[in-house]
Amino acid sequence: MTNLPTFDDVVSAAQRIQGHAHKTPVVTSRTVDEELGARVFFKCENLQRMGAFKFRGAFNALSKFTPEQRKAGVVAFSSGNHAQAIALSARLLGIPATIVMPHDAPAAKVAATKGYGGNVVIYDRYTQDREQIGRALAEQHGLTLIPPYDHPDVLAGQGTAAKELFEEVGPLDAFFVPLGGGGLLSGCALATRALSPDCMLYGVEPEAGNDGQRSFRTGSIVHIDTPKTIADGAQTQHLGQVTFPIILRDVNDILTASDTELVESMAFMASRMKLIAEPTGCLGFAAARQIKAELRGKRIGILVSGGNVDMARFASLLGI
Ligand SMILES: *Cc1c(COP(=O)(O)O)cnc(C)c1O
């Protein structure tokens, strides 16, 4: 892949989203520092607009639309945070948005997407292919399709989260970032190599779906069936054509966390730090806890990627 995005694209994205996305807080905890024997900085994208970092990439991508693209509108297919990020960004920019969602998407997510002004098109997860539907809508109505991770403007936008972290706390020794299709990790990798070049950068994915780890270690993209995990933001089946080469070049390793470890980290963050993270948002912290012996005395960054978990599910995951 030639013409991969660079840190300059992250810098431009930061300018585009400024005043629209939150500069999210960086939270520290003495309890965590004691547990890990390290100085730990949590970048709280669970406190981003619509509850996840995905607002950054979506807003950046839509900001670059031409007047013709703006008029015709955007289409996205997602049951999760990307749908809400596109719907909210489109509303803020006055762009019509069509979101293709599965018939069994949680009612709260459909309602949230509609609440942000998105036009929701429902498809049957078992008999219809969402990409086909998305592409057909795009062709019929001249809409621009924005994918959830495999797009230069999306990943450049996601990288602004890491840029903010390094600008606030300075260089780090290790940085843990959740991994699905790799938009967040590749964008953060561009920022890490520019602002903290010697930092060990880890992507963290669910143990049940370690396609990213296998891809990273074999050097070619591995495809898997949709993994069964509570980390619904990282149930992707493969890395992207744009995200993978950046990850291969700039990331140090890919780690995994089990659902049990995610629940433990989620409970710890809620009870000790008063932070509500969704299961996927806990991947980074869970992995850091696994290798804490290696982190002793170091300065560590953890990206908490999102907080969209409804309270009934949160309670049942914690066994309340
Ligand atoms: C989408 C998402 C991820 C994974 O991001 P990718 O760019 O697909 O790797 C991680 N956490 C949350 C909360 C998400 O919504």
Side-chain angles (χ1 to χ4, degrees):
M1 175 100 200
T2 49
N3 287 337
L4 289 175
T6 67
F7 181 61
D8 284 345
D9 297 302
V10 179
V11 173
S12 307
Q15 286 159 359
R16 283 187 207 100
I17 69 172
Q18 191 181 3
H20 302 284
H22 293 317
K23 183 175 180 292
T24 50
V26 175
V27 168
T28 58
S29 151
R30 282 171 194 264
T31 315
V32 172
D33 286 1
E34 273 163 33
E35 183 189 309
L36 294 188
R39 184 79 176 123
V40 188
F41 301 94
F42 290 84
K43 177 64 171 168
C44 290
E45 289 298 302
N46 54 326
L47 303 177
Q48 184 52 266
R49 290 185 79 169
M50 57 58 60
F53 71 89
K54 286 216 172 61
F55 181 71
R56 297 173 181 271
F59 193 90
N60 185 49
L62 297 198
S63 298
K64 291 184 72 178
F65 274 21
T66 64
E68 293 73 36
Q69 286 178 303
R70 284 180 188 243
K71 198 154 166 266
V74 61
V75 59
F77 43 80
S78 163
S79 54
N81 289 331
H82 179 62
Q84 290 168 64
I86 290 286
L88 175 58
S89 301
R91 192 190 71 192
L92 295 172
L93 292 164
I95 298 172
T98 302
I99 312 292
V100 183
M101 297 181 103
H103 67 283
D104 56 353
K109 293 220 163 150
V110 177
T113 306
K114 285 185 176 163
Y116 289 134
N119 161 34
V120 175
V121 173
I122 300 288
Y123 75 101
D124 185 332
R125 197 200 273 279
Y126 301 104
T127 59
Q128 294 176 294
D129 177 37
R130 65 178 192 172
E131 291 207 31
Q132 248 166 31
I133 296 175
R135 281 179 220 293
L137 283 168
E139 265 170 42
Q140 279 161 23
H141 306 286
L143 312 180
T144 304
L145 180 72
I146 298 294
Y149 56 87
D150 205 18
H151 188 290
D153 299 333
V154 171
L155 75 87
Q158 320 304 31
T160 59
K163 176 175 177 289
E164 284 175 12
L165 175 63
F166 290 117
E167 285 172 352
E168 184 165 336
V169 307
L172 296 169
D173 298 308
F175 184 26
F176 296 84
V177 178
L179 171 61
L184 180 63
L185 180 59
S186 59
C188 287
L190 297 176
T192 303
R193 291 300 158 242
L195 301 177
S196 182
D198 298 328
C199 178
M200 290 292 286
L201 175 60
Y202 298 101
V204 189
E205 65 186 348
E207 194 175 270
N210 70 338
D211 60 291
Q213 187 179 59
R214 288 159 56 198
S215 304
F216 185 80
R217 293 182 182 175
T218 60
S220 62
I221 298 175
V222 171
H223 291 244
I224 58 168
D225 290 338
T226 302
K228 281 198 173 47
T229 166
I230 59 169
D232 52 315
Q235 278 178 312
T236 39
Q237 293 173 273
H238 54 84
L239 299 179
Q241 299 296 328
V242 192
T243 60
F244 181 56
I246 299 173
I247 290 170
L248 206 50
R249 183 191 65 199
D250 288 342
V251 172
N252 292 94
D253 203 2
I254 311 286
L255 309 174
T256 64
S258 70
D259 283 0
T260 307
E261 289 170 323
L262 293 179
V263 169
E264 282 163 10
S265 292
M266 200 167 76
F268 187 102
M269 280 196 247
S271 68
R272 309 307 290 265
M273 303 175 67
K274 320 306 165 198
L275 288 177
I276 305 293
E278 62 184 276
T280 316
C282 301
L283 283 163
F285 186 39
R289 295 173 89 189
Q290 287 168 8
I291 61 165
K292 69 178 183 181
E294 292 171 37
L295 303 178
R296 192 147 279 284
K298 299 201 165 143
R299 287 164 47 83
I300 309 301
I302 289 174
L303 201 142
V304 182
S305 54
N308 290 330
V309 50
D310 69 53
M311 283 303 106
R313 179 158 182 257
F314 189 74
S316 88
L317 285 170
L318 297 190
I320 298 168

